[in-house]
Amino acid sequence: MQSKVTAEGKREQDLYDKFMCYCKTSGGDLDKSIAAAEAKIEEIEAATKEGRERKAQLEAELKEHEASRDEAKETMSKATALREKQAAAFAKESADLKTNVAAITKAVAALEKGASGAAFLQTPAAQQVRTWAMERATLPDESRQELLSFLSGAAGASYAPQSGEITGILKQMSDEMTADLEAAIAAEEEAIKVYEELMAAKKKEVSTLQKQIESK
């Protein structure tokens, strides 16, 4: 009986020792697991914070790129509208100048060939020259008045072409118109060049910004 009790006690002691050993071993592993989990949580929280900051940065960059792209497109649109107005104005200006130069050239040729003032005043060229002389020609007052008097018919019938007074004024006007036409052509060519350079630069800018937007 005594031996049985002793054996039973030893078995219980062995079980207790194994349990305590398990607790000590498992407790150490558990502490390590908890520490690792806490470290992982901190790592995840840091990564999450970094992700939020990166997202906010990307959203800000995206808005900036979109705003810059829209601004570039608006600049292109405004530049195109302005170019169209400039082209229309040039077309009208150059057409008027060419028409008036042609009219004066005919007038001078007719007068130099001996045509009478009355005969010239019956031509469409006379009206074109009169309008230009009144509205746009840069002439001394005396010359302007003499020309307008002739074109009004006041001196038309008695004007002697050989005197050269009127033809001289007309040639002066023709030179002025030709210079204005050349200046208008040069200005138009420069405007076209500037517009094309601007459009090329803005198209490149829009393309670059669009690629950056799509990559976000």
Side-chain angles (χ1 to χ4, degrees), residues 24 26 40 43 59 123 135 157 161 213:
K24 290 178 180 179
S26 298
K40 188 65 175 178
E43 181 181 341
E59 289 176 346
T123 66
E135 298 178 357
I213 291 170

Short mmCIF file of all heavy atoms in Angstrom, two decimals, residues 24 26 40 43 59 123 135 157 161 213:
data_model
loop_
_atom_site.label_atom_id
_atom_site.label_comp_id
_atom_site.label_asym_id
_atom_site.label_seq_id
_atom_site.Cartn_x
_atom_site.Cartn_y
_atom_site.Cartn_z
N LYS A 24 6.86 27.06 -18.75
CA LYS A 24 8.03 27.92 -18.93
C LYS A 24 8.41 28.07 -20.40
O LYS A 24 8.68 29.15 -20.90
CB LYS A 24 9.20 27.37 -18.13
CG LYS A 24 9.03 27.49 -16.64
CD LYS A 24 10.23 26.88 -15.90
CE LYS A 24 10.03 27.01 -14.39
NZ LYS A 24 11.17 26.41 -13.65
N SER A 26 6.49 27.37 -23.11
CA SER A 26 5.42 28.01 -23.87
C SER A 26 5.33 29.49 -23.55
O SER A 26 5.07 30.32 -24.42
CB SER A 26 4.07 27.34 -23.56
OG SER A 26 4.12 25.98 -23.94
N LYS A 40 5.19 43.91 -35.58
CA LYS A 40 4.53 43.85 -36.88
C LYS A 40 3.44 44.91 -36.97
O LYS A 40 3.26 45.56 -38.02
CB LYS A 40 3.93 42.46 -37.08
CG LYS A 40 3.38 42.23 -38.47
CD LYS A 40 4.50 42.24 -39.50
CE LYS A 40 3.99 41.90 -40.89
NZ LYS A 40 5.07 41.97 -41.90
N GLU A 43 4.99 48.17 -37.59
CA GLU A 43 5.45 48.22 -38.99
C GLU A 43 4.28 48.48 -39.93
O GLU A 43 4.39 49.30 -40.86
CB GLU A 43 6.12 46.90 -39.34
CG GLU A 43 6.67 46.83 -40.75
CD GLU A 43 7.30 45.49 -41.06
OE1 GLU A 43 7.65 44.75 -40.12
OE2 GLU A 43 7.44 45.17 -42.26
N GLU A 59 -2.26 62.56 -55.16
CA GLU A 59 -3.49 63.28 -55.49
C GLU A 59 -3.20 64.76 -55.74
O GLU A 59 -3.77 65.38 -56.65
CB GLU A 59 -4.50 63.13 -54.36
CG GLU A 59 -5.09 61.71 -54.26
CD GLU A 59 -6.02 61.54 -53.08
OE1 GLU A 59 -6.00 62.43 -52.18
OE2 GLU A 59 -6.75 60.54 -53.03
N THR A 123 -14.08 106.08 -113.97
CA THR A 123 -13.64 104.69 -113.72
C THR A 123 -13.80 104.32 -112.24
O THR A 123 -13.76 105.19 -111.37
CB THR A 123 -12.17 104.51 -114.11
OG1 THR A 123 -11.35 105.30 -113.23
CG2 THR A 123 -11.93 104.94 -115.55
N GLU A 135 -9.41 108.80 -96.29
CA GLU A 135 -9.42 108.06 -95.03
C GLU A 135 -8.06 107.59 -94.54
O GLU A 135 -7.82 107.53 -93.33
CB GLU A 135 -10.35 106.84 -95.16
CG GLU A 135 -11.80 107.21 -95.43
CD GLU A 135 -12.67 105.98 -95.61
OE1 GLU A 135 -12.12 104.85 -95.57
OE2 GLU A 135 -13.89 106.16 -95.80
N ALA A 157 -12.04 118.21 -115.57
CA ALA A 157 -12.16 118.46 -117.00
C ALA A 157 -11.00 119.25 -117.56
O ALA A 157 -10.60 119.09 -118.71
CB ALA A 157 -13.46 119.22 -117.28
N PRO A 161 -2.85 116.16 -118.02
CA PRO A 161 -2.04 115.05 -117.54
C PRO A 161 -0.54 115.32 -117.64
O PRO A 161 0.23 114.84 -116.82
CB PRO A 161 -2.46 113.90 -118.46
CG PRO A 161 -3.82 114.27 -118.93
CD PRO A 161 -3.79 115.76 -119.08
N ILE A 213 -0.31 62.25 -65.86
CA ILE A 213 -1.62 62.02 -65.26
C ILE A 213 -2.01 60.55 -65.35
O ILE A 213 -2.48 59.95 -64.38
CB ILE A 213 -2.68 62.89 -65.95
CG1 ILE A 213 -2.46 64.38 -65.61
CG2 ILE A 213 -4.09 62.47 -65.55
CD1 ILE A 213 -3.30 65.34 -66.42
#
